[in-house]
Amino acid sequence: MKRIALFMALCILAAAVAVGVHAWGWRERKLQEDERTRAQSEAEQAAAGRLGLKTQPLPPDPLERRLALDEALRLRPDRRFLLAARELAGAEVAVRFSDRRWILSLGEREIGRVSELPDFPELMNALAPLAREWVAAAKVTGKAPRIRAVRGHKEAFAAIREAQARWSRGDHGAAVLHDAASAAAALMLQVPRAFDADDHLDAHAIALCAADAAAGADARAQQTVLALALGYAGAARALAPAKDEPALHAFVTLDRSKLADAAQRKDANAGDRHLLLRWLMQDANGQGLRRWIGAARDNEHVSVPTVGQVLLDADLQVVAAASEALPALAVAELENVRATAPRDAELLIVLMGAQRSALQTLANNEDLRARLAADLRQADTTYEGPLWRGGDTSAWYAAATAAALLGSARSGYVLRNDATGLADELGTWPVPAAAHLNRWLKARIAADGGTFDEAYETLAASRLPGSRAAADLLDALAKQSESPDPRIVEAVRVAWRHFDSRPAGRLVWAEVLRTHERDLDRSGRMVASVVDEAPGAYSVDEVALAKQRGSIDRLEQLALDEKFPFPARLEAAGALAERGPKAQAERVLRRLGRERPADVPTHERLIWFLHDAGRPADALATALDLLRRYGEDDSIQVARVRCAAARQLDAMGRHEDALSMIERALPTEAVCAYRMATVQLAHLGKKEDAEGLLLAHLARHPQAETAADVAEVRWRIHDDAGAADMLAHPPAPLTRRDFREIGERFADVFRSRPAAEVKRAAEALLQAGIQPLSILELGPPAAKAGAAAQAFELYALLSQKVPSERTSSVQFRAWSALRAAKGAPAAETWLRKQLGPEPSALADNDLATSAYSEGPDEALWELFPTRPPDSAFADRLALLRAASIARRGERSARRDALLAEISDPLAWWKARAARSIGLPGAHASWEVRLARYVLGEGSDDDIANDAMDGSRPCEAPYYFGVRAAAESRLRDAAAWYRVALECRNPAQPELLWAYRAASQLEQDRSLSAKLLQAAR
């Protein structure tokens, strides 16, 4: 017994010693990891400070961070309905989200619940209790007769004024309310809506229509008009009465033939004809528009609603003319002056004639703005009541003027060389939106000039002219930054305040999330919530969704469906050309070309398609056919066709013919004409002529793209110093994004030249003072073009010039290019020479990180054939290899070997022991635990518990996404990659990897289709 007891004691002692040894090792590891996490936390805080991030970070726990992000990006209900609720209740209506629904309450009283993204009927139903109380308080009596809901704006103004006059005399009949509500809905449909300039005006119409329905009126037609005006096309389609409103029903059901018939009937009114005009503008049907103008009655072709529709034209010259005419027409209508214009002229002449006619009562040099201000103050001052007020008339014409001002901003920003004065000019107009437009345009100019803070502050604190304006600012900021940029991620969350659940806002918000956050899951759900409810009503977005879903058949259906607007069909055909079978795409593009035989953009698509398919002769034949159709026309439109033809001649090596083709387009000063002509002169060895034309091009177009043109031509004529000088002193600041585009030109010039010439050109760029990181962007296009030797020379030179933290990355690119050019042994020899005989663990870590980041993944094994002696780097390498295996779905002996290396049968017991002695997670390094997780061991909770310190909140979400993607949980993968973008340290590699992985989900058609299908 004593021997047994002694044996047991010895066993216990041995176990205690073993545990003690492990515990000591765990303690040492814990101390080291704590020190490292402290350094990482300080680095992230320092990075956030350098970037100037102003918001508080989301919770560090990955699971909590994901929930917090959902909350931060959730759109609030359509603000216009909340304002309508306040008008009906006479008090503020609060809204909160709980149990996946929005709860509307008035004080302590709950008045309604709606879904996360509520549709029109839901929101109207939520207003019903308040509307019934309003009707009861107003003592509305009687029954309303059926009346037309669609009407022209002048008829609608007359009706609502009469209704308010009767109401003020004490007639609170249901018929009066019904007439007012129907007229208000018609006015909302016809107010120019370049953006939602006045939510209060919409809210008033919503409140009237809700009250009308509560009073027992048949409000289907009226609510169809209102839903259409507010952007709820699916609801409008479901509500539209076919018999009572044939034009309206035909419009919402996309029946263009019936719409044309209904609008041309003798009993059709101005509202019916306006619906036909809306379709023609959506369809970009120039011939149909000319016929509509020629048949216009009572000068409807120069009314405020008509010119408001013209603001949506794709031609910025037309937009500029309409923007000039619309305020003048608003003044004419407010003063009951009849504006006229010819009906048998070009659209620009019609608009200019309308403007002159509208201004006939203004004295010489009288300021239109002062006249408009006076007219808005005096509009309908005799009407003041719950149905209509003078302020409502003023707001309607102010909204129309605001739409014109936005048109001036859009067109002027492109057509003017300097738009700074335009911003100040817009701010002087006497409408509330003028100040918003002024701030927005100034912020846009600042963002395009590289100034981040002004645009950010505008997003954070100012009111903007609609959600599209917020998205434009984000786009401008993104062009000046390098994705992924934590500042842009933060700016998106800041911009959230400019969006709500209205359909137009959802679609723009979805675009923002997809473009700047790579949030494919949330974006897809947002688009589907609008598009799937009304096929064809949001045609451009429907095409975008079909592209995301990788639905080739659907793209073909959209391109061939004549119910859809032609621009959307052309966009679908372009997407089909990019992604679908070539024969299928060509058939569709030729069909569209036959439908619009003189439409330049349509034939340009076909020409580009044939060019990209390696058929320049066919592309040239198509361009020449179009030129013959235009005859002697030398307009800017035809100049584009000449550019397309010259491009094909250039591809065929016929440089003399290309130059002859393009010379006739030079008087138009089209950018493409200058570029094509200078390139042909360079090919023909006419250096002096090329240089002279380049200088003229630069004087006429002082833009970043022009600097790229100049550099390309100078490279072609072997003037490397001149090219470098242009890129060092461009007419507009060049971003790294611009250098990527310049890289395409660089690759085209140098891919057939000796590699030594690339080195000389790069040295010239360095001598001119261009930053090495900018020059680095010239490498990937060369490598992609198959010029591996040329890319190696560039990378090898720059590896000695870039900042130290980028050296390993550039060395790896050079190794990869040399491996492709001369084989693995030569690449291995070169790299080892650069690293030295005994590279540090830090250098190896940087190299492995670059290998995982840049690919090919094989390099993680090829560069490190044996286990590294440094344990920390060995663990990091194991994690990178595990992630590599998981993201490629590899099932091989290599995976088994890695699992054998990192697995520990006692891991669970060690984890419990470590927690029991106050050293949670110390039983294995963080990297090894992540590696095991990525390969399928454990759960999210196991990792999340230890992922709240240092850089771990940046790292864990990315690896959660890698595992989710490997297990085909694509919605989870997309969500986790989006969470990973909340990392506030751009030096953290997982931030970039998450961005790329999310982008890959979108680019991989099979994955994106599965993901978006799951989101439905």
Side-chain angles (χ1 to χ4, degrees):
M1 292 295 292
K2 289 183 178 180
R3 290 181 179 178
I4 294 174
L6 180 60
F7 177 75
M8 292 180 65
L10 289 173
C11 288
I12 292 171
L13 180 61
V17 170
V19 170
V21 171
H22 278 297
W24 183 260
W26 295 344
R27 179 179 177 277
E28 290 300 309
R29 180 182 288 124
K30 180 68 173 173
L31 290 174
Q32 292 173 4
E33 288 196 349
D34 287 348
E35 181 63 30
R36 188 168 57 174
T37 55
R38 277 194 294 271
Q40 290 167 344
S41 295
E42 291 171 1
E44 181 160 347
Q45 292 170 8
R50 287 193 300 272
L51 291 172
L53 302 183
K54 300 175 176 63
T55 61
Q56 291 298 313
L58 295 178
D61 180 284
L63 301 176
E64 293 181 8
R65 180 171 284 201
R66 181 171 169 178
L67 293 174
L69 186 62
D70 287 341
E71 190 69 29
L73 298 180
R74 181 175 291 115
L75 296 181
R76 289 169 60 83
D78 190 332
R79 176 175 180 263
R80 298 169 295 184
F81 285 85
L82 301 181
L83 292 173
R86 184 175 71 182
E87 180 174 334
L88 291 168
E92 198 69 40
V93 173
V95 61
R96 60 186 175 87
F97 192 78
S98 178
D99 296 329
R100 305 184 70 177
R101 296 183 72 79
W102 290 104
I103 301 173
L104 283 64
S105 57
L106 188 62
E108 298 297 320
R109 171 192 168 198
E110 181 181 316
I111 58 174
R113 295 188 174 216
V114 296
S115 62
E116 182 175 356
L117 295 171
D119 201 0
F120 181 85
E122 265 192 284
L123 291 164
M124 291 299 287
N125 287 337
L127 296 181
L130 299 177
R132 287 192 292 269
E133 293 170 7
W134 187 92
V135 168
K139 299 179 180 178
V140 176
T141 59
K143 184 176 181 180
R146 182 172 296 173
I147 58 174
R148 286 290 310 274
V150 175
R151 58 183 88 179
H153 75 295
K154 291 184 178 180
E155 182 185 347
F157 268 122
I160 204 165
R161 288 164 180 156
E162 174 61 20
Q164 179 55 54
R166 291 174 62 185
W167 188 278
S168 297
R169 293 195 297 267
D171 184 354
H172 291 193
V176 175
L177 176 60
H178 186 52
D179 207 15
S182 297
L187 287 171
M188 295 310 101
L189 181 62
Q190 297 200 50
V191 65
R193 282 186 181 272
F195 63 96
D196 291 316
D198 195 336
D199 283 351
H200 290 84
L201 199 59
D202 286 336
H204 181 58
I206 293 168
L208 286 181
C209 290
D212 189 31
D218 181 358
R220 286 186 63 211
Q222 167 201 115
Q223 290 194 11
T224 302
V225 172
L226 182 62
L228 183 61
L230 300 180
Y232 291 91
R237 187 174 297 174
L239 289 166
K243 292 184 179 180
D244 296 336
E245 299 287 355
L248 179 61
H249 184 269
F251 182 84
V252 298
T253 57
L254 311 180
D255 192 332
R256 66 163 74 181
S257 176
K258 287 185 178 179
L259 173 60
D261 291 342
Q264 292 165 7
R265 286 165 42 176
K266 288 184 178 180
D267 60 345
N269 62 28
D272 297 320
R273 293 186 289 274
H274 178 77
L275 289 171
L276 178 58
L277 171 66
R278 288 172 77 100
W279 164 253
L280 293 172
M281 294 305 302
Q282 291 174 15
D283 196 42
N285 189 337
Q287 290 184 351
L289 178 61
R290 284 191 287 274
R291 288 194 297 269
W292 188 93
I293 291 173
R297 308 178 196 175
D298 300 325
N299 290 298
E300 287 171 8
H301 64 303
V302 291
S303 68
V304 167
T306 295
V307 179
Q309 284 296 305
V310 176
L311 287 174
L312 305 178
D313 196 276
D315 186 337
L316 289 180
Q317 297 282 2
V318 172
V319 172
S323 301
E324 291 288 327
L326 191 51
L329 292 170
V331 167
E333 288 195 8
L334 286 165
E335 297 179 359
N336 292 318
V337 173
R338 181 170 179 168
T340 61
R343 295 183 302 172
D344 56 353
E346 292 295 322
L347 184 55
L348 283 173
I349 295 173
V350 171
L351 292 169
M352 289 187 287
Q355 181 184 4
R356 287 193 298 270
S357 176
L359 297 176
Q360 60 187 284
T361 61
L362 265 69
N364 289 337
N365 300 320
E366 183 177 358
D367 189 347
L368 177 62
R369 290 166 293 189
R371 187 72 163 263
L372 177 63
D375 288 342
L376 293 175
R377 285 193 303 270
Q378 298 165 13
D380 284 350
T381 53
T382 58
Y383 299 96
E384 192 67 33
L387 304 186
W388 198 251
R389 300 176 297 275
D392 296 325
T393 300
S394 176
W396 194 91
Y397 282 101
T401 303
L405 298 183
L406 181 61
S408 293
R410 282 179 51 228
S411 57
Y413 192 73
V414 175
L415 299 176
R416 295 191 185 189
N417 287 332
D418 183 4
T420 306
L422 175 62
D424 293 329
E425 179 186 326
L426 293 175
T428 63
W429 282 83
V431 295
H436 312 151
L437 283 162
N438 170 268
R439 285 193 292 270
W440 168 71
L441 189 54
K442 285 186 173 180
R444 175 68 190 275
I445 293 169
D448 285 342
T451 304
F452 198 98
D453 289 345
E454 183 173 348
Y456 181 94
E457 291 301 327
T458 302
L459 284 170
S462 300
R463 187 173 174 188
L464 293 176
S467 58
R468 182 70 262 174
D472 285 343
L473 276 186
L474 289 169
D475 291 344
L477 290 174
K479 287 178 182 177
Q480 302 300 323
S481 63
E482 192 66 21
S483 298
D485 186 337
R487 297 177 302 168
I488 299 298
V489 174
E490 181 184 55
V492 169
R493 282 207 278 131
V494 168
W496 165 88
R497 59 189 285 269
H498 298 286
F499 296 84
D500 60 24
S501 72
R502 69 188 73 186
R506 286 186 227 174
L507 294 172
V508 178
W509 183 239
E511 181 185 345
V512 166
L513 294 176
R514 185 185 65 80
T515 303
H516 302 299
E517 312 263 280
R518 290 298 185 261
D519 195 342
L520 187 61
D521 176 39
R522 205 182 317 269
S523 171
R525 283 187 282 125
M526 202 73 64
V527 174
S529 73
V530 177
V531 168
D532 288 347
E533 293 297 316
Y538 308 93
S539 52
V540 173
D541 300 284
E542 191 165 351
V543 171
L545 190 60
K547 286 171 64 176
Q548 280 186 275
R549 288 173 171 166
S551 179
I552 301 301
D553 290 342
R554 181 59 179 155
L555 286 172
E556 183 179 24
Q557 290 171 4
L558 293 172
L560 297 177
D561 191 342
E562 294 185 3
K563 288 185 176 181
F564 278 64
F566 193 84
R569 296 174 61 199
L570 186 57
E571 185 68 22
L576 189 64
E578 293 172 6
R579 298 175 172 234
K582 299 302 182 186
Q584 187 179 9
E586 183 176 355
R587 183 171 62 250
V588 169
L589 285 168
R590 290 193 182 279
R591 156 82 178 271
L592 295 180
R594 288 192 297 273
E595 289 185 27
R596 300 274 174 105
D599 187 63
V600 171
T602 302
H603 290 272
E604 274 186 321
R605 290 275 185 144
L606 177 58
I607 293 167
W608 274 109
F609 169 78
L610 295 170
H611 175 85
D612 292 342
R615 297 162 57 188
D618 291 340
L620 176 62
T622 302
L624 293 178
D625 284 345
L626 190 57
L627 282 174
R628 282 191 287 271
R629 183 176 296 276
Y630 274 97
E632 297 301 310
D633 190 336
D634 287 324
S635 65
I636 188 72
Q637 284 280 87
V638 180
R640 290 167 52 183
V641 184
R642 291 189 174 279
C643 288
R647 191 176 297 114
Q648 311 319 312
L649 291 165
D650 174 64
M652 299 164 70
R654 296 166 57 184
H655 301 300
E656 288 279 6
D657 293 338
L659 183 60
S660 298
M661 173 63 68
I662 205 61
E663 281 178 331
R664 186 166 170 178
L666 285 172
T668 66
E669 298 188 328
V671 170
C672 67
Y674 276 110
R675 177 174 183 263
M676 187 56 60
T678 53
V679 168
Q680 301 318 303
L681 288 168
H683 277 302
L684 295 170
K686 300 180 179 181
K687 297 183 179 181
E688 292 183 2
D689 291 343
E691 187 65 27
L693 194 56
L694 281 177
L695 295 177
H697 181 20
L698 193 61
R700 179 64 184 87
H701 306 109
Q703 300 156 1
E705 184 183 359
T706 307
D709 293 341
V710 174
E712 177 189 359
V713 172
R714 287 177 176 173
W715 279 325
R716 289 189 183 280
I717 61 177
H718 297 273
D719 182 8
D720 294 341
D725 182 67
M726 172 51 59
L727 297 179
H729 305 95
L734 296 176
T735 65
R736 285 176 62 186
R737 192 186 304 265
D738 292 320
F739 271 94
R740 288 195 195 101
E741 296 175 4
I742 293 168
E744 301 291 339
R745 316 276 190 96
F746 185 84
D748 190 48
V749 173
F750 286 97
R751 64 185 174 186
S752 58
R753 291 187 182 179
E757 293 194 19
V758 170
K759 186 176 181 180
R760 285 198 296 271
E763 286 173 339
L765 294 171
L766 289 168
Q767 290 170 5
I770 298 173
Q771 292 298 313
L773 289 179
S774 295
I775 304 172
L776 189 63
E777 301 296 344
L778 307 182
K784 186 178 179 181
Q790 290 86 341
F792 168 74
E793 289 293 341
L794 182 71
Y795 290 139
L797 174 65
L798 294 177
S799 66
Q800 306 166 31
K801 308 292 184 181
V802 295
S804 57
E805 64 271 15
R806 294 297 302 274
T807 300
S808 294
S809 172
V810 181
Q811 286 175 339
F812 179 80
R813 291 188 186 186
W815 171 85
S816 184
L818 188 57
R819 186 172 180 264
K822 296 186 177 180
E828 176 75 13
T829 301
W830 178 86
L831 182 60
R832 291 307 166 195
K833 183 178 178 181
Q834 305 303 308
L835 297 176
E838 295 184 6
S840 67
L842 180 60
D844 279 345
N845 182 73
D846 289 345
L847 190 62
T849 300
S850 298
Y852 182 83
S853 181
E854 302 287 343
D857 287 21
E858 295 292 331
L860 289 170
W861 284 265
E862 189 173 322
L863 292 175
F864 307 100
T866 60
R867 179 178 173 82
D870 184 87
S871 60
F873 172 58
D875 291 347
R876 175 68 173 173
L877 182 60
L879 172 59
L880 296 177
R881 286 175 170 176
S884 169
I885 288 169
R887 73 178 178 181
R888 290 181 292 118
E890 182 179 332
R891 298 282 177 178
S892 64
R894 193 157 56 187
R895 184 180 190 277
D896 296 337
L898 181 60
L899 271 173
E901 176 187 335
I902 63 176
S903 292
D904 183 354
L906 300 178
W908 186 83
W909 298 101
K910 289 180 180 180
R912 290 196 62 183
R915 280 197 298 270
S916 67
I917 60 175
L919 298 172
H923 62 287
S925 72
W926 166 249
E927 287 78 8
V928 167
R929 281 178 282 147
L930 268 180
R932 293 171 183 166
Y933 166 82
V934 167
L935 292 178
E937 292 186 10
S939 66
D940 293 357
D941 290 333
D942 296 332
I943 298 298
N945 290 334
D946 297 330
M948 292 185 285
D949 298 315
S951 61
R952 294 180 184 181
C954 291
E955 296 168 349
Y958 168 69
Y959 295 106
F960 285 177
V962 170
R963 176 165 163 178
E967 295 173 353
S968 297
R969 294 183 286 113
L970 298 182
R971 288 191 65 184
D972 268 344
W976 280 123
Y977 292 145
R978 172 61 189 89
V979 174
L981 293 185
E982 287 299 320
C983 177
R984 299 161 77 86
N985 183 4
Q988 190 68 35
E990 283 80 5
L991 174 65
L992 175 61
W993 298 344
Y995 184 84
R996 288 178 177 173
S999 302
Q1000 186 60 39
L1001 284 178
E1002 180 177 9
Q1003 292 164 10
D1004 189 320
R1005 290 197 298 246
S1006 62
L1007 289 179
S1008 60
K1010 292 176 184 176
L1011 175 59
L1012 288 162
Q1013 187 65 29
R1016 295 181 71 178

